[in-house]
Amino acid sequence: YGLCFFQQSSGINAEYGGVEVVFFVSYDMDSSSSSSSTTTTSEDTVLSIPPEINELFHAHREYLLQLYNDELVALKEMVEELKNADLFPPDITPQMLMPFLWTRKLNVLKAINTFRNNQKLREYLKISLTRVKITSVNKELLEGGHFYAIPGTRDKHGRTISYFIAHSMIPSHYDPKDFLTMTMFYMDYASFNFPPESHRNGTIVVEDATGLGLKHVDTRLFKVIKEAGIEGNSGMQDLIPGKLKGILILNPPLIIKALFKLARLFMKKKLIQRVQIVTPADIMRDWVSPDNLHTVFGGSLEYNHQKWVAEEIEKEMHEETKKMQTETDAGRHDG
């Protein structure tokens, strides 16, 4: 559940206590080697929303107006391909589809592959294909604050900031399905609540690696992914959309420091720049201003994750009650 265990490329293998791990890799470091089947994203003014997309997603027109022309073209192609393959969920929205396209640099076929893997995993987990509710997530795991992002905060380059406290969770204490369900919830929350620009800019992860060891490694994730019918060596980059722009590691144990020094001999310069061992002072100087950095990691921003969870649960329950009341009123009217 950390930096090391999701993708089997762009990294180096190492033996640690008899267990082979893949060191310093991520689910999409947004390398320049990826190609696109459509025009590269640019900040051109939107010329028009394709009629098919406008009709299909008319309730989301405000969102569509925030997209660039090449993004709209890619979205139209993706919808057509999914429909032709009978893979288009009836309740899907552009907010759910666009993150896959951004992650794959508007390469429609690659985006569809990631989307389909994501759908297979949701089917296996028996969770919503379009939007996971917070009440579907293991509350204890969610409230633990092991992994979170503070809404509305950005780094100095406009990127979302995610936090990971590795030592706060022992994976074996939880069902891996619970972890994956929580991951899907966070994905859906970002899709519906973060503006397009934040997805284009990507995210950075600030990780406290204090005490990181073998007890924090859980290979059961790979078993779950295989049981979900996802073939090959699909890592998180083939399951969860996201443009990871940097991993900043605080307080790494000696083994991580040693492996990192070794890995630098094999890593590309661009990757080395994005995976760094840092201090809080380094983060605030080069990456995140103090008022956007959580106090737990040396900044001045106060944040209570348990309070956020409680507020989101209350909000969801209120929306469900309102929806049920609307449906009841409609039934009475029809009667």
Side-chain angles (χ1 to χ4, degrees):
Y1 289 173
L3 313 174
C4 319
F5 316 112
F6 294 144
Q7 183 180 350
Q8 297 187 17
S9 60
S10 302
I12 115 174
N13 290 349
E15 288 285 340
Y16 178 27
V19 175
E20 184 179 44
V21 300
V22 182
F23 182 66
F24 287 141
V25 291
S26 67
Y27 58 89
D28 184 0
M29 291 306 287
D30 193 27
S31 64
S32 57
S33 60
S34 299
S35 60
S36 172
S37 63
T38 61
T39 308
T40 303
T41 302
S42 64
E43 297 189 11
D44 295 336
T45 302
V46 173
L47 300 178
S48 64
I49 299 175
E52 303 90 337
I53 294 299
N54 191 46
E55 181 180 355
L56 181 63
F57 298 130
H58 64 276
H60 305 278
R61 182 173 173 80
E62 183 178 344
Y63 179 85
L64 295 175
L65 289 172
Q66 299 179 62
L67 303 180
Y68 302 141
N69 191 57
D70 51 353
E71 294 170 345
L72 288 167
V73 171
L75 177 61
K76 176 177 177 292
E77 292 179 9
M78 185 174 184
V79 168
E80 291 174 348
E81 291 288 343
L82 288 172
K83 285 187 172 182
N84 290 338
D86 198 25
L87 296 173
F88 191 78
D91 298 326
I92 202 70
T93 67
Q95 291 93 327
M96 280 295 298
L97 294 176
M98 283 308 304
F100 293 95
L101 286 166
W102 281 315
T103 298
R104 293 306 188 180
K105 298 185 177 180
L106 303 190
N107 185 310
V108 173
L109 295 181
K110 288 184 178 181
I112 288 175
N113 181 63
T114 306
F115 174 77
R116 184 55 190 144
N117 286 339
N118 187 277
Q119 293 283 289
K120 284 183 179 180
L121 185 57
R122 288 171 184 264
E123 291 168 357
Y124 177 79
L125 295 173
K126 295 181 172 59
I127 58 177
S128 171
L129 296 179
T130 54
R131 190 170 186 176
V132 176
K133 297 179 180 180
I134 193 170
T135 48
S136 301
V137 183
N138 182 317
K139 188 177 180 182
E140 179 186 349
L141 184 59
L142 190 62
E143 288 183 331
H146 315 294
F147 185 82
Y148 59 95
I150 302 177
T153 59
R154 299 288 184 270
D155 75 354
K156 294 181 179 181
H157 299 281
R159 298 171 295 205
T160 303
I161 308 163
S162 296
Y163 298 96
F164 181 49
I165 305 177
H167 62 83
S168 66
M169 178 179 65
I170 308 298
S172 61
H173 292 178
Y174 299 96
D175 188 324
K177 295 180 182 179
D178 288 341
F179 172 78
L180 290 168
T181 298
M182 182 177 70
T183 302
M184 292 294 191
F185 162 72
Y186 278 133
M187 168 196 150
D188 293 350
Y189 184 89
S191 296
F192 284 94
N193 291 279
F194 292 2
E197 194 63 27
S198 69
H199 292 282
R200 295 186 190 107
N201 293 338
T203 187
I204 64 169
V205 174
V206 182
E207 173 169 359
D208 182 356
T210 301
L212 185 65
L214 287 178
K215 64 182 179 181
H216 301 108
V217 179
D218 190 353
T219 58
R220 296 178 302 169
L221 284 175
F222 296 108
K223 181 180 179 181
V224 171
I225 290 172
K226 184 177 180 179
E227 290 177 350
I230 300 170
E231 300 178 356
N233 294 323
S234 295
M236 282 297 185
Q237 84 283 357
D238 291 324
L239 291 170
I240 309 295
K243 297 174 67 175
L244 189 55
K245 294 291 189 175
I247 301 176
L248 310 181
I249 309 167
L250 290 161
N251 309 314
L254 291 177
I255 185 64
I256 296 297
K257 289 183 178 180
L259 287 173
F260 183 68
K261 287 182 179 180
L262 179 61
R264 289 175 68 93
L265 300 175
F266 304 93
M267 294 163 61
K268 293 181 179 179
K269 182 179 179 181
K270 188 174 184 179
L271 187 57
I272 291 174
Q273 292 173 340
R274 292 185 177 181
V275 183
Q276 297 189 26
I277 294 175
V278 297
T279 66
D282 295 331
I283 296 175
M284 289 182 282
R285 183 187 66 241
D286 301 326
W287 297 77
V288 185
S289 61
D291 59 339
N292 273 276
L293 184 65
H294 194 190
T295 52
V296 173
F297 291 84
S300 59
L301 178 64
E302 297 286 348
Y303 171 72
N304 186 317
H305 187 66
Q306 289 72 30
K307 181 181 178 182
W308 178 83
V309 171
E311 291 173 348
E312 289 299 316
I313 291 176
E314 183 179 357
K315 186 190 303 181
E316 184 176 283
M317 294 179 66
H318 175 73
E319 291 175 351
E320 286 295 316
T321 301
K322 185 177 179 180
K323 180 180 178 181
M324 291 175 61
Q325 186 62 52
T326 300
E327 291 174 351
T328 301
D329 293 344
R332 290 173 180 171
H333 178 74
D334 294 339

